[in-house]
Amino acid sequence: MTQPDTSAPPAPPTRSAWQDALERLATDRLTVHAGGGARAQQRQHDRRRLTARERIRQLIDDGTPFDELMTFAGWEMYQDVGGCPSGGTVTGIGQIQGRPWMIIANDATVKAGAFFPITAKKVIRAQTIALENHLPVVYLVDSAGVYLPMQDEIFPDQDDFGRVFYLNARMSARGIPQIAAIMGNCVAGGAYLPVMCDTLIMTEGSGLYLAGPALVKAAIGQVVDSEDLGGAGMHASIAGTVDYKEPDDAAALRRIRALADLYAQGDPAPFARRRRETLPAPERDLTDLVGFDGSKTYDVRDLITALVDGGEFHEFKPEYGETLVCGFARAGGYPVAFVANQRTVIKKKLKSGGEPGLRTRIEVGGVIYGDSADKAARFIMDANQAGVPLVFLSDVTGFMVGRDSEQEGIIRRGAKLVNAVSNTVVPKITIITGGSFGAGNYAMNGKAYAPRFLFAWPSAKYAVMSGNAAAKTLLDIQLAALKRSGHQPDDEELQRLYDEVKSKYDTELDPRYAAARLWVDEIIPPNDTRDRLIRALEACAQNPHQDEFRVGVFQV
């Protein structure tokens, strides 16, 4: 008689942190893509209008990707007024008639497409990317204008709503094509944007006016209906504002595609003239190479070779300043220059100091030491001299501190690196794969240093210092304040205070927190990195102009 098998079934494989993170990213992205929700989307359809993302899908070339940017703008912000998913607007780069275009589309399912503070900043960032890369722009306009309850945060400052029209005009002066299609409301100050474009298309049933019927009645007592005040027919036949009147969204999108196909193609960037045939990169799952929480050591050369054509990487000074890896390669046929944080533990040879032989010390991966800063600064100068775009792979904990480091001139040498990064004239692209802490963020071309594109993996952590160190520092500050007030917390209260501080800081470390505030342009899965990098280089290749490289006062 066969005995029953009483052994325990095999345990299911343990889910990795990467699996959880990537599933959460996909789920959160779907939440954002829903905009104002199913009911708001249905209201848009009931008006015989498409949603922003439906319009974009019809606009771009069949079978080509839409590289959305700033998807998580406004994430978990403005909760007291119902939120503002994706900042109430959809932005990104898509191919139209075989050429990359920046597309900026108001999402009318989110507060009727009204501009929140983050909306203006998102549109400004998209326009800035277009300006720096000479990308032509399509605006799909469907907006109720400024969100009035927050007008003081949207209207007056340098990087507020007015900057949108400033960049509108600057791009026009530079000869960068701009096409606008009004496919719903276009009200108040927002009316200037489409009218300042090369070409203006308007669909029937849309409205374009500085003040709507209700405001006109309140301001001057005049009673007028929407069509006579600012309808497509009036603007096409009487005011002469509209260049093309179309019956619906589909016709307007076809018109954009037809016009886009007529625009002249400018010269490519100097680096793009050296493009070669694209070779495949070695196949590798980058989530197997790079740990999610930063505790796993890895050789960043393996990451670089997984991103570049044929895995071929020409490393610069490989035995010197080893915590930063620098070198040349190709990606998508384009020449590129990498500056990357090494994440292995390094046994560093030192000068003998009068003693026979060489001494050694252990250097920690992710930390920038003096010799690494020297090497990277020199390499960045070489890349500018060669006219090759720079790609920063950032997984940095900061500059080395302590007596020895200070005596070796870490501040002076770090300043030299920051100078070189700041004055770079070739395109710069940053990919944050792990930590991006403190001054290391500056040295590795953080947002303040004008990267053309800045991508982050879901593992990215973005702050002045790491979570544990920051929580301990903040707790010490709180404790000092409590003691000054005469209160001595017990162990239970200490733990509670620490947990509260740590939880808040961990929330702020999350890349969605950074993406919500536009500190990064997009959160991308690791295995999409090569494709996104190549398409970002293709966007950079549209600008043929390169300034003279000058560094000013340079610490030596």
Side-chain angles (χ1 to χ4, degrees), residues 132-285:
E132 291 176 341
N133 296 295
H134 284 206
L135 291 174
V137 185
V138 170
Y139 303 93
L140 303 179
V141 183
D142 193 351
S143 170
V146 165
Y147 184 66
L148 286 176
M150 296 182 180
Q151 64 85 27
D152 63 318
E153 301 176 54
I154 304 168
F155 167 67
D157 207 351
Q158 175 176 306
D159 287 326
D160 285 347
F161 198 42
R163 192 75 173 183
V164 171
F165 316 125
Y166 170 86
L167 291 169
N168 203 190
R170 298 286 290 180
M171 281 191 282
S172 183
R174 295 260 185 107
I176 299 171
Q178 296 176 90
I179 300 174
I182 299 172
M183 311 172 88
N185 288 317
C186 185
V187 182
Y192 290 114
L193 182 144
V195 178
M196 293 171 71
C197 291
D198 304 344
T199 303
L200 176 54
I201 300 163
M202 189 171 178
T203 60
E204 294 177 4
S206 297
L208 169 64
Y209 26 65
L210 289 179
L215 184 54
V216 167
K217 182 179 178 181
I220 64 173
Q222 187 179 75
V223 178
V224 60
D225 67 25
S226 179
E227 181 59 34
D228 284 345
L229 183 64
M234 188 282 291
H235 279 297
S237 62
I238 299 175
T241 310
V242 170
D243 301 315
Y244 300 91
K245 182 182 72 171
E246 300 296 346
D248 54 29
D249 284 9
L253 295 169
R254 287 195 298 270
R255 179 74 71 177
I256 295 171
R257 287 186 52 79
L259 294 171
D261 197 30
L262 300 173
Y263 276 95
Q265 178 71 55
D267 292 330
F271 77 86
R273 299 169 202 167
R274 301 295 295 175
R275 189 178 190 183
R276 298 291 181 263
E277 180 183 357
T278 300
L279 298 176
E283 290 189 15
R284 179 153 196 179
D285 184 345

Side-chain angles (χ1 to χ4, degrees), residues 339-453:
V339 178
N341 298 111
Q342 180 59 285
R343 295 298 302 191
T344 60
V345 176
I346 295 162
K347 191 174 183 180
K348 169 69 179 174
K349 295 178 180 178
L350 301 175
K351 294 178 182 178
S352 64
E355 302 170 12
L358 290 173
R359 296 179 293 123
T360 62
R361 74 176 176 208
I362 299 298
E363 293 189 342
V364 180
V367 177
I368 300 175
Y369 292 79
D371 54 357
S372 303
D374 281 345
K375 179 175 84 170
R378 165 63 192 281
F379 178 72
I380 288 168
M381 296 176 72
D382 281 2
N384 278 274
Q385 185 81 350
V388 176
L390 281 155
V391 177
F392 292 81
L393 299 179
S394 178
D395 190 357
V396 59
T397 53
F399 285 88
M400 189 59 190
V401 297
R403 182 193 60 196
D404 291 348
S405 187
E406 297 290 358
Q407 291 182 359
E408 290 171 3
I410 188 64
I411 298 174
R412 169 178 55 80
R413 298 162 96 178
K416 180 168 30 176
L417 174 54
V418 170
N419 186 320
V421 173
S422 301
N423 287 299
T424 285
V425 295
V426 295
K428 296 178 292 183
I429 297 169
T430 300
I431 302 163
I432 301 175
T433 62
S436 183
F437 295 122
N441 171 271
Y442 306 155
M444 295 302 291
N445 194 46
K447 181 68 182 290
Y449 293 81
R452 298 280 186 96
F453 296 93

Side-chain angles (χ1 to χ4, degrees), residues 453-531:
F453 296 93
L454 198 164
F455 302 117
W457 288 4
S459 52
K461 293 178 177 59
Y462 212 90
V464 170
M465 62 181 74
S466 63
N468 288 328
K472 179 66 169 60
T473 302
L474 291 168
L475 182 63
D476 288 345
I477 294 170
Q478 285 193 16
L479 286 176
L482 289 172
K483 289 176 181 178
R484 282 196 301 271
S485 67
H487 177 65
Q488 182 68 42
D490 58 23
D491 290 345
E492 184 177 340
E493 186 176 1
L494 280 174
Q495 186 61 51
R496 180 180 60 78
L497 286 170
Y498 176 82
D499 291 343
E500 287 175 357
V501 169
K502 181 70 163 56
S503 176
K504 180 179 182 296
Y505 206 83
D506 285 346
T507 298
E508 295 171 359
L509 282 172
D510 189 284
R512 289 162 191 78
Y513 188 92
R517 291 152 181 81
L518 309 188
W519 302 342
V520 301
D521 292 322
E522 190 68 358
I523 304 172
I524 61 172
N527 290 325
D528 289 354
T529 303
R530 173 173 157 85
D531 289 341

